[in-house]
Amino acid sequence: MVQSSLRLGVNIDHVATVRNARGGDTPDPVRAARLAEETGADGITAHLREDRRHISDRDIERLMETLTLPLNFEMAATAEMQAIALRHRPHAVCIVPEKREERTTEGGLEVAREENQLAHFIAPLREAGCRVSIFIAADRRQIEAAHRIGAQVIELHTGAYCDAHAEGDFATRDRELAKMREMAALAHDLGLEVHAGHGLTYDCVQPVAALPQVMELNIGHFLIGEAIFLGLGPAIAEMRRLMDAARA
Ligand code: PXP
């Protein structure tokens, strides 16, 4: 069954990026999460990176203590992160590739090549009650592998689509969107829940929001940037409005 309403997960990493630029306590990403909760978000996403460049261990603790919305905990497939996730048992764990030198998560996870390892890695997370999501490119091999290893959710990486849109390369943008459309349907037929995210803005969110199998969008950088001009609540409300309009 394809759900008509679409959830918005607000990624608060870059509130922590600004905080860490000065090394103090403000702006507080947990305060941003609470505000997001009050203004139309359906979930909060936070990525605890190996280098702790934005979200900190303490942020995750405080989010788990204070949030009523589900937390989608993004992490690399490392023993350290697995132990942290098992300690906190967030609603969802999203496994992402992580490179130390990258500015942001550049591509999807290579699931097909690491199938056995990843199957073992996610099993205890599932047993602990976390929904396991895998961040991948819209690629048949990766989606079928994500299904075989026992993931419940895939998140399609929308970065290439968003970049092409921003660069005015509409042929590439439309090709990327067509791939996502086909792969969202495939994943849904396999019984996977489909999410999408990375790089989404007011300008490019609607065609992705209109894909009927997509049940959740995770959006961060653009919303936190827009909050400078509009305030976080109105920035989220406008994204929500565009998503709902596309879905209707
Ligand atoms: N989904 C995943 C798996 C991500 O890694 C990120 C970036 O941390 C996002 C969504 C949100 O991307 P953006 O900050 O570009 O909106």
Side-chain angles (χ1 to χ4, degrees):
M1 240 259 300
V2 172
Q3 186 176 293
S4 60
S5 74
L6 177 61
R7 295 194 300 269
L8 170 59
V10 173
N11 181 317
I12 54 167
D13 292 351
H14 297 301
V15 180
T17 303
V18 177
R19 174 194 62 193
N20 295 358
R22 283 293 171 97
D25 293 332
T26 60
D28 177 11
V30 178
R31 182 178 170 198
R34 281 199 298 263
L35 186 60
E37 205 163 36
E38 287 159 21
T39 47
D42 301 294
I44 298 296
T45 293
H47 183 178
L48 185 66
R49 280 184 167 266
E50 182 202 24
D51 63 9
R52 310 301 199 266
R53 69 175 70 159
H54 38 58
I55 294 294
S56 68
D57 297 72
R58 181 70 191 129
D59 293 331
I60 297 295
E61 274 168 35
R62 290 174 61 229
L63 287 167
M64 288 301 299
E65 283 162 13
T66 59
L67 269 190
T68 54
L69 285 182
L71 177 67
N72 177 32
F73 177 60
E74 281 184 22
M75 56 176 244
T78 64
E80 182 200 15
M81 290 300 152
Q82 190 192 51
I84 293 170
L86 290 175
R87 198 162 64 243
H88 291 299
R89 299 174 179 231
H91 166 79
V93 163
C94 181
I95 314 291
V96 302
E98 202 176 293
K99 285 191 241 134
R100 229 171 257 184
E101 64 279 13
E102 72 190 353
R103 253 190 266 168
T104 181
T105 314
E106 281 165 4
L109 196 69
E110 176 49 61
V111 195
R113 231 185 299 138
E114 315 277 342
E115 214 173 301
N116 286 342
Q117 241 171 295
L118 279 168
H120 282 108
F121 185 82
I122 68 171
L125 295 166
R126 278 198 59 162
E127 279 158 26
C130 303
R131 279 175 77 67
V132 175
S133 167
I134 311 278
F135 190 43
I136 46 180
D139 177 296
R140 178 181 293 273
R141 272 178 62 243
Q142 305 299 344
I143 291 167
E144 290 173 347
H147 176 245
R148 282 194 299 271
I149 67 170
Q152 293 119 310
V153 180
I154 56 149
E155 181 166 330
L156 294 173
H157 196 310
T158 51
Y161 157 83
C162 295
D163 288 349
H165 178 83
E167 287 156 15
D169 179 356
F170 298 140
T172 302
R173 177 197 64 185
D174 294 347
R175 225 175 15 252
E176 291 296 328
L177 184 64
K179 257 199 285 182
M180 287 195 279
R181 181 176 296 115
E182 191 188 344
M183 291 302 119
L186 168 77
H188 181 261
D189 288 347
L190 289 172
L192 291 159
E193 183 170 308
V194 183
H195 300 177
H198 205 281
L200 292 167
T201 68
Y202 294 154
D203 271 355
C204 66
V205 72
Q206 288 196 302
V208 181
L211 300 177
Q213 297 87 1
V214 173
M215 293 176 75
E216 178 173 309
L217 297 181
N218 285 302
I219 309 181
H221 181 265
F222 176 80
L223 283 177
I224 303 307
E226 208 51 24
I228 295 169
F229 305 105
L230 302 180
L232 185 58
I236 292 172
E238 175 60 6
M239 189 60 85
R240 176 86 267 165
R241 188 189 69 74
L242 289 166
M243 286 165 54
D244 291 345
R247 202 62 165 204

